[in-house]
Amino acid sequence: MSNPSSARQTIFVINPNSTQGVTDGIDAAMAPLRMAGGPDIECLSLPSGPAGIQSQHDVEAVALPLVALARSLQARAAAFVVACFSDPGLHVLREAVEVPVLGIMESGLLTALTLGQRVGVIAILERSIPRHLRAYGAMGLQARVAAELAIGLNVTELSQAERTLARMIEVGHRLRDEHGADVIVMGCAGMAQYRQALQQALGVPVVEPSQAAVAMAIGRVRMNWHGA
């Protein structure tokens, strides 16, 4: 009996906010993962989402709209990636569709664990950190997270390239030098364009979590692994 997803060739990367610039940055970050013979990778925004997922309310509010969007795409989907570092709607999406669903927080952290012993996370806002820490606790990863520090910019401000990269480098140095992080995870999908420059400046591996999640999704699709 053939797998129902065998004819589905597209990994849909859904940005749960409505800021198209963030989606465009994620799409550009997919370039190394687009390859001959591999699944298509399509990045899209949630039109009804807020400008940025910056509070627990935002996280909860987008969950069911994400389900509706994923269900509308399911006939063409090989997998879905939720491209927000709070992994909104991740578990309800896994219940709602029949293909793999990956969240970028979960995937980014798991990838980082293979690259270093102590993980540092760069957040956008201080108020994001308690929400992320709860998730790390639920995943049992507290002992491997050295620290999470914020750059003090919201999602829409991340398009200010010079300012954003300077803040990220400053915070990255603190995570490396003061907290002992030997691998860095960028804690917002809107940071995608800065990965290479940040890694060069810090001299340690930097994980862009949307790339990490899509890389995992490609493996799941190619290996026909269908888990929870």
Side-chain angles (χ1 to χ4, degrees):
M1 182 176 177
S2 63
N3 189 290
S5 67
S6 60
R8 299 167 179 162
Q9 292 298 315
T10 301
I11 295 172
F12 287 101
V13 182
I14 304 176
N15 166 24
N17 72 49
S18 56
T19 301
Q20 187 60 39
V22 171
T23 305
D24 292 343
I26 296 167
D27 186 69
M30 295 301 108
L33 299 168
R34 292 184 165 114
M35 63 195 80
D40 293 333
I41 302 168
E42 184 174 333
C43 302
L44 60 159
S45 305
L46 182 68
S48 63
I53 308 295
Q54 297 174 168
S55 67
Q56 191 64 43
H57 181 275
D58 293 335
V59 171
E60 305 296 343
V62 300
L64 293 183
L66 278 171
V67 168
L69 179 57
R71 281 177 168 163
S72 75
L73 299 167
Q74 187 172 198
R76 296 193 292 126
F80 291 98
V81 169
V82 181
C84 168
F85 200 70
S86 293
D87 286 351
L90 179 63
H91 300 291
V92 70
L93 272 169
R94 285 174 172 168
E95 288 183 351
V97 298
E98 299 177 354
V99 296
V101 180
L102 293 102
I104 69 169
M105 174 193 282
E106 187 176 69
S107 300
L109 289 171
L110 293 176
T111 298
L113 296 181
T114 71
L115 294 169
Q117 180 63 29
R118 292 177 58 78
V119 180
V121 181
I122 301 177
I124 52 171
L125 301 170
E126 289 286 346
R127 65 176 177 169
S128 304
I129 295 175
R131 183 170 72 253
H132 296 165
L133 293 178
R134 290 195 295 271
Y136 306 157
M139 287 187 275
L141 298 180
Q142 306 100 310
R144 296 287 295 277
V145 177
E148 178 168 347
L149 301 175
I151 60 173
L153 300 174
N154 65 37
V155 171
T156 57
E157 291 174 315
L158 295 178
S159 62
Q160 301 170 20
E162 186 174 340
R163 181 187 184 199
T164 299
L165 181 58
R167 294 275 186 92
M168 292 179 71
I169 291 172
E170 177 188 352
V171 168
H173 277 133
R174 289 176 58 201
L175 287 166
R176 186 193 67 186
D177 299 339
E178 299 173 17
H179 297 276
D182 55 5
V183 56
I184 301 295
V185 176
M186 301 195 300
C188 177
M191 298 174 175
Q193 63 181 300
Y194 304 110
R195 191 202 72 83
Q196 188 170 353
L198 183 64
Q199 181 168 281
Q200 184 173 4
L202 298 180
V204 297
V206 174
V207 175
E208 197 293 298
S210 298
Q211 292 176 329
V214 172
M216 287 188 181
I218 292 170
R220 293 278 294 272
V221 171
R222 296 300 293 265
M223 299 303 294
N224 197 27
W225 288 331
H226 294 274

